[in-house]
Amino acid sequence: MADKEEELKGETEVDSCLGRYIFVHDLPIRFNKDLVKNCRLLTRGTDKNMCLYLENLGFGPQIENPENVLLNNSWFLTNQFLLEVMFYNKMKMYECLTNDSSVASAVFVPFYAGLDMSMYLWGFNISVRDSASLGLVKWLADKPEWKRMWGRDHFLVAGRIAWDFRRQTDNESDWGSKLRFLPESKNMSMLSIESSSWNNDYAIPYPTCFHPSKDGEIFQWQDRMRRQERHYLFTFAGAPRPEYQNSIRGKIIDQCLASKNQCKLLDCNYGATNCDNPVNVMRVFQSSIFCLQPPGDSYTRRSIFDSILAGCIPVFFHPGTAYAQYKWHLPKNHTKYSVYIAVKDLSEWKINLNETLLGISEDKILALREEVIRLIPRVVYADPRSRLETLEDAFDLAIKGILERIESVRNMIREGKDPSVGFADGDDYKYTFSLYGNGI
C-alpha cells in the first residue's frame, strides 16, 4: 500500500521548472568579466568613472543620505546603462537554471554588449568596434546548443538602446556596432532598454535606483506614494535638445516656466548635476501629479520608470517612448496608466499643457495614479541576494516574456513552418501614431 502511495505521489508531483529551464553559456571572460575588470576604460573620452557603479552586483553604491525622500536601505546610485550586468547577476540566482542544455527552454548569452561598445565608441575604427561581436557569434555557432534551433532559442541582454547595435553601413563615421545585423545574431533575441523596429529586439525597463529585497519594502513604498501630497500639477526633469530639429523639449520648458507654481522644472542641462542625484529627482516627482516624458536623445528615457516609482502619472508625446516598447511590463491599454498628447506637427504647436492637464477629472487622476503605483513592482529589479515572495519584478516578467517568445517559435517548427519567417523582420509601422489613437 505504501509503495502505491509513493507511486501516486510521484505521478502528481509536477516539476515547477518545466518549460522554464534556462542554460547559461560559459563565455570566455573577454566577453564579460574582462570588461568589468577594465571598468576605467568603459567611458574613454569622458570624465566618468564607471567602476563606482559596478559595486553591489551592478546596482552601484548604496545611497547613504536619503533625506527622508527615499525609504529603507534598498536605494542605490544605479547607472542606467548597467542593465546587462544586473541581469546576469540576477540570472545566476534564477531558480530554474540547468547545466543540461538538452532540457533547457532557452539559452542565455551573458555578453556585455553595451560595455564592450562603450570601450570603443570614440576614436576606434569599425573593425575594432565589431571585433567582439564577430568573435561572439563565431564562438556560439561552434557550440552544440546552437545547432538545435540555429540560435532561435538564444537571447542576450544589452544595457544600451538596440539601435546602437544596428549600424547599417561600414562608414567609419557611422555610430555603433553591427552586432544585430550579423547573420547568426539575427537568429537571437535581444532584450534592451529600448527596442529597435526589428521583431527580434524587445524592450525591458531601464534600471531605477530602487532594488528592494522583500515584498514588504515595495508595499511600504507604494503606501507612501498613495499618501504623498502633490503640490505641482506637472513636472519636467530634463534639458532642451536644440540640436534635434523635431525636439519639443524647448516648448515644454517654456510652458512649464510660464505656468509658474503649477509646474516644477528640474534643469538637467549640460553641467547641471541636479538630475544625477536620485534624491533630487524623486523629491520633485513625488510632489507632482503628472510627469512629462518627451523623447530625448532617443525615443525612451529612464525618467519614465522614475516617474512610475514616484506615483507620478507619465505624459507621453510619442508612442515610441513607451507604448511600442515595454509590452511585457506595461498595460496594453495605455490610457489606464498614462496621458498621451499627440504632437504631429511642431510648427503648429497648439497645446496648452496647463489647460490640457487641468481638464482631467479628479476621479480620472486618482484611477491613473493607482494604476501607476500598482505597476511599481513590475518595473524594478529586485536585489538578487534575496527573493521576492508574492510579487514579480521586471526580471521575472522579462524571463516570462522571452520564454513565451521562444516557445512560439518551437510551435512553428512543430507545425512544420519555417521559423525564420518574420523572426528578424523590420516593422516600419512600429512607431506610428495611427496605432495609438489621437491622444487623450
Side-chain angles (χ1 to χ4, degrees), residues 77-103:
L77 197 60
T78 300
N79 185 284
Q80 65 175 359
F81 297 121
L82 285 182
L83 176 61
E84 57 210 35
V85 178
M86 268 177 247
F87 203 96
Y88 187 19
N89 284 322
K90 284 183 71 66
M91 182 63 83
K92 289 172 185 174
M93 306 302 291
Y94 176 61
E95 68 267 30
C96 296
L97 290 181
T98 180
N99 290 323
D100 181 358
S101 62
S102 68
V103 303

Side-chain angles (χ1 to χ4, degrees), residues 36 40 81 128 153 160 212 258 267 292 334 342 410 413 418:
V36 170
R40 294 186 187 282
F81 297 121
V128 174
D153 55 353
R160 299 181 68 95
D267 182 9
L292 307 185
H334 62 85
R410 257 194 209 94
I413 295 170
D418 182 351

